[in-house]
Amino acid sequence: MLYAINGEDVPDSLEKRLSVRPEHLKRIQALQEAGRLILAGPFPAIDSPDPGPAGFSGSLIVAEFESLEAAQTWASADPYVSAGVYRSVTVKPFKKVLPV
């Protein structure tokens, strides 16, 4: 089943985010290589594809996991969690309708 993982950043998280970004991306790339990743990306803190020093307000990952518990366990082990980038992480089941 698919799950949406929504991480909400702490204020002024850009420096922390950048410091662990390679490890964060490595885990997401592993999902992609396994054919389990639907989409992933950050939320710019301002209305711009390149927010510069304004940074990001969080991230969204939609991926396939065997269960809600497995998705929560995976999300809890994210480097953004251990580095204090995320103030909260929400994991919910997700039903993709479009595009087909």
Side-chain angles (χ1 to χ4, degrees):
M1 180 161 187
L2 296 179
Y3 295 89
I5 300 169
N6 185 16
E8 294 288 329
D9 284 21
V10 298
D12 301 314
S13 63
L14 186 58
E15 188 175 318
K16 288 179 184 179
R17 181 180 268 272
L18 293 175
S19 72
V20 294
R21 186 171 186 264
E23 292 87 2
H24 171 77
L25 291 178
K26 187 175 185 179
R27 297 178 80 238
I28 295 171
Q29 288 167 342
L31 288 175
Q32 183 176 7
E33 290 168 5
R36 297 170 44 203
L37 182 67
I38 302 302
L39 66 89
F43 299 112
I46 60 173
D47 189 13
S48 172
D50 182 4
F56 300 93
S57 63
S59 302
L60 174 65
I61 299 167
V62 178
E64 183 179 352
F65 292 91
E66 61 189 42
S67 66
L68 177 59
E69 182 180 355
Q72 290 170 328
T73 298
W74 186 91
S76 296
D78 194 288
Y80 283 177
V81 172
S82 58
V85 174
Y86 290 155
R87 70 175 166 196
S88 66
V89 177
T90 305
V91 181
K92 294 181 179 182
F94 181 80
K95 181 179 178 181
K96 181 180 173 197
V97 175
L98 295 171
V100 179

